[in-house]
């Protein structure tokens, strides 16, 4: 009944959040009982529902809970989108970065991307972009295995053009926010990788984006 009341009403979602529904939903999800499949979409909806809901989530460590949901099959992309939406709505992103930069958070995020099949990865790439807008988290992830994983997928024939374009955007963000852009370029052999994309990718949009990024890197390597 609560699921039906809240599913299509943000007002009811806020009322439920203020009444303490977050803790109850977390308990149901952790119990792995039959109501879990109703509790997960409900708690994910709260990230989209407004400040009152997000405040209730924050008080109950909701950000870490969404990261835990990344390990739940079929809900990983939904949970990552919750993180991205919540992060984008925050005026002060520093508290969020502190949670996302914990060792266990980074490990979960990296394993989620690495273990995803092409269809799942396609749904993870778009929410990854606003997450990479966070400077300190970006710097940390730029020194992780995320970059090599993204580049491997960029050159893979398993991914659609829109996915490859999102990958290029992620790589661009990691490069632009790097404190040592020249080292970033050489460490990941980006000139060669991007040249391959520009010369061989079947999508015009991907080739154009790849060329723009390649030209920017050429300027940086010359200076």
């Amino acid at each position: 009944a609560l699921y039906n009341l809240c599913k299509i009403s943000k007002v009811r979602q806020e009322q439920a959040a203020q009444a303490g529904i977050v803790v109850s939903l977390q308990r149901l999800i952790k119990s792995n009982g039959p109501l879990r499949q109703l509790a997960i979409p409900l708690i994910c909806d709260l990230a989209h529902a407004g400040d009152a809901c997000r405040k209730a989530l924050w008080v109950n460590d909701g950000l870490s809970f969404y990261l835990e949901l990344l390990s739940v099959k079929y809900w990983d992309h939904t949970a990552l989108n919750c993180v991205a939406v919540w992060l984008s709505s925050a005026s002060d992103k520093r508290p969020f970065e502190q949670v996302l930069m914990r060792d266990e958070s980074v490990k979960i995020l990296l394993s989620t991307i690495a273990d995803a099949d092409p269809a799942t990865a396609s749904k993870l790439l778009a929410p990854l972009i606003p997450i990479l807008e966070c400077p300190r988290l970006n710097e940390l992830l730029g020194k992780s295995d995320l970059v090599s994983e993204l580049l491997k997928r960029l050159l893979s024939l398993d991914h659609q053009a829109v996915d490859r374009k999102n990958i290029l955007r992620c790589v661009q963000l990691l490069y632009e926010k790097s404190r040592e852009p020249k080292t970033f370029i050489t460490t990941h052999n980006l000139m060669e990788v991007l040249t391959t994309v520009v010369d061989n990718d079947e999508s015009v949009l991907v080739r154009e984006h790849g060329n723009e990024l390649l030209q920017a890197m050429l300027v940086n390597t010359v200076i």
Side-chain angles (χ1 to χ4, degrees):
L2 185 60
Y3 174 85
N4 291 327
L5 284 171
C6 293
K7 186 60 182 174
I8 59 174
S9 173
K10 289 188 176 182
V11 173
R12 285 174 179 158
Q13 287 169 5
E14 289 194 347
Q15 291 172 340
Q18 291 169 337
I21 193 177
V22 173
V23 174
S24 298
L25 292 174
Q26 290 173 330
R27 189 181 302 115
L28 280 173
I29 293 167
K30 289 179 178 179
S31 72
N32 207 24
L35 293 177
R36 188 186 198 209
Q37 293 304 312
L38 294 178
I40 292 177
L42 205 52
I43 201 168
C44 287
D45 284 344
L46 296 181
H48 304 258
D51 290 340
C53 290
R54 289 190 281 265
K55 182 178 179 181
L57 285 166
W58 182 260
V59 169
N60 292 286
D61 204 15
L63 188 56
S64 294
F65 195 79
Y66 284 141
L67 292 173
E68 291 177 21
L69 289 180
L70 291 177
S71 63
V72 180
K73 192 174 182 180
Y74 304 124
W75 289 103
D76 45 7
H77 61 280
T78 303
L80 191 63
N81 190 53
C82 289
V83 174
V85 168
W86 194 359
L87 192 59
S88 298
S89 70
S91 56
D92 183 4
K93 294 178 172 49
R94 289 171 297 179
F96 295 85
E97 280 191 303
Q98 290 176 1
V99 176
L100 294 171
M101 290 175 68
R102 294 172 184 166
D103 289 343
E104 61 270 26
S105 300
V106 173
K107 184 177 180 180
I108 291 171
L109 182 58
L110 294 179
S111 63
T112 299
I113 301 294
D115 296 342
D117 58 45
T120 303
S122 177
K123 299 173 184 177
L124 294 170
L125 291 167
L128 183 60
I129 293 172
I131 292 173
L132 290 175
E133 295 281 1
C134 294
R136 291 190 301 153
L137 179 60
N138 180 299
E139 183 180 359
L140 180 62
L141 293 176
K143 298 175 181 177
S144 73
D145 293 336
L146 176 64
V147 184
S148 58
E149 179 63 32
L150 290 172
L151 294 177
K152 180 180 72 176
R153 291 180 180 276
L154 177 63
L155 299 176
S156 171
L157 298 177
D158 294 330
H159 290 279
Q160 301 294 323
V162 64
D163 301 333
R164 299 195 300 277
K165 197 169 186 304
N166 281 335
I167 291 170
L168 282 172
R169 178 58 181 150
C170 290
V171 173
Q172 181 178 5
L173 283 169
L174 289 164
Y175 160 69
E176 289 177 344
K177 294 184 182 295
S178 173
R179 294 188 181 186
E180 299 177 335
K182 291 184 180 180
T183 301
F184 184 81
I185 292 170
T186 55
T187 299
H188 301 290
N189 200 21
L190 287 177
M191 305 299 286
E192 183 177 335
V193 171
L194 290 173
T195 298
T196 300
V197 170
V198 172
D199 290 344
N200 300 305
D201 199 281
E202 61 186 21
S203 167
V204 174
L205 289 176
V206 173
R207 292 199 304 270
E208 288 178 348
H209 194 162
N211 188 54
E212 290 173 5
L213 188 50
L214 178 61
Q215 295 307 312
M217 291 183 180
L218 280 170
V219 171
N220 206 329
T221 54
V222 170
I223 295 176

